[in-house]
Amino acid sequence: GQNIDQPTEMTATEGAIVQINCTYQTSGFNGLFWYQQHAGEAPTFLSYNVLDGLEEKGRFSSFLSRSKGYSYLLLKELQMKDSASYLCAVRDSNYQLIWGAGTKLIIKP
Amino acid sequence: IAGITQAPTSQILAAGRRMTLRCTQDMRHNAMYWYRQDLGLGLRLIHYSNTAGTTGKGEVPDGYSVSRANTDDFPLTLASAVPSQTSVYFCASSEGSRDTGELFFGEGSRLTVL
């Protein structure tokens, strides 16, 4: 079956760096997405990786290794507003998105 | 402001009742989706539509139906609600189903079936 694994919860300190990992096993691969979802709100798009390597966008970076079925989202200079759930999703061979359960990130002062 | 509008934002419903969740987008996106989100689970696709006039079944379609009469509207109907359909429902859209695929989500509809 298809599976996306990411940690359920992580805690980090304001101003620090945190890495959220995502491993996947899917039938085919047509891109990996990261979304941010604040409690009680809709998910919003953060990043898209389809080729191996690092994509940087401000304080957020996303890395992909297709051979390892692995991605991570790196958040630098953490701010309190970064407290949210981070959702990893992979688009399979049918171009359907398979979603992980999300990682709840708690930022402490 | 361009985006996706869902209604209602919250609803309590008796089991066995019929319910339609409305979704409208003004971005002229071709593809639209309905997801449900439950605690501890990833978003699960209920139904989707790649273009007006076509629909398809997702991962958890049973008990739900959709229609796509035009580009903008994509209502989700629960013909006879059951307690297991208690969830938060998100409508989403994207320009196409095979491009970079960024999804734009509505604010969600929280449905409780008693």
Side-chain angles (χ1 to χ4, degrees):
Chain A
Q2 307 201 91
N3 195 49
I4 310 285
D5 285 319
Q6 48 181 135
T8 302
E9 187 174 295
M10 299 181 70
T11 302
T13 304
E14 189 177 16
I17 298 173
V18 70
Q19 177 175 311
I20 303 174
N21 295 324
C22 171
T23 58
Y24 62 89
Q25 291 177 307
T26 56
S27 39
F29 178 86
N30 283 296
L32 184 143
F33 299 81
W34 285 96
Y35 282 76
Q36 180 189 59
Q37 186 177 25
H38 286 100
E41 298 183 7
T44 55
F45 172 80
L46 285 178
S47 68
Y48 170 71
N49 295 70
V50 67
L51 299 176
D52 291 350
L54 188 69
E55 294 281 343
E56 297 185 80
K57 190 185 295 185
R59 294 188 298 114
F60 292 9
S61 303
S62 57
F63 172 83
L64 174 67
S65 169
R66 289 172 295 172
S67 63
K68 295 182 180 179
Y70 168 70
S71 172
Y72 67 73
L73 181 69
L74 191 72
L75 291 73
K76 303 176 184 176
E77 301 169 13
L78 286 170
Q79 302 175 10
M80 297 303 293
K81 68 178 182 179
D82 297 329
S83 291
S85 289
Y86 292 85
L87 314 181
C88 175
V90 173
R91 192 160 59 184
D92 68 10
S93 57
N94 294 318
Y95 287 84
Q96 296 294 345
L97 280 176
I98 310 301
W99 294 83
T103 299
K104 183 178 180 180
L105 178 63
I106 299 168
I107 310 296
K108 295 185 175 180
Chain B
I1 297 177
I4 297 183
T5 303
Q6 289 185 234
T9 55
S10 181
Q11 182 77 43
I12 299 174
L13 187 66
R17 296 297 295 269
R18 180 184 180 89
M19 177 73 194
T20 295
L21 303 179
R22 300 183 299 279
C23 176
T24 300
Q25 55 107 353
D26 61 4
M27 296 177 282
R28 307 303 294 172
H29 283 171
N30 286 315
M32 297 188 75
Y33 313 84
W34 273 106
Y35 287 95
R36 60 178 289 173
Q37 187 174 42
D38 301 289
L39 195 63
L41 298 176
L43 288 163
R44 291 184 292 169
L45 183 65
I46 304 170
H47 284 286
Y48 66 93
S49 170
N50 288 332
T51 189
T54 69
T55 62
K57 293 182 179 180
E59 179 186 357
V60 288
D62 294 344
Y64 305 95
S65 63
V66 292
S67 61
R68 186 90 184 275
N70 56 60
T71 297
D72 299 343
D73 301 302
F74 191 45
L76 176 74
T77 297
L78 289 68
S80 179
V82 295
S84 62
Q85 293 177 312
T86 293
S87 188
V88 180
Y89 292 86
F90 286 101
C91 181
S93 72
S94 63
E95 288 186 9
S97 59
R98 297 191 172 214
D99 52 21
T100 57
E102 176 185 349
L103 296 185
F104 295 82
F105 285 85
E107 289 304 308
S109 296
R110 182 174 296 275
L111 184 66
T112 302
V113 183
L114 302 176

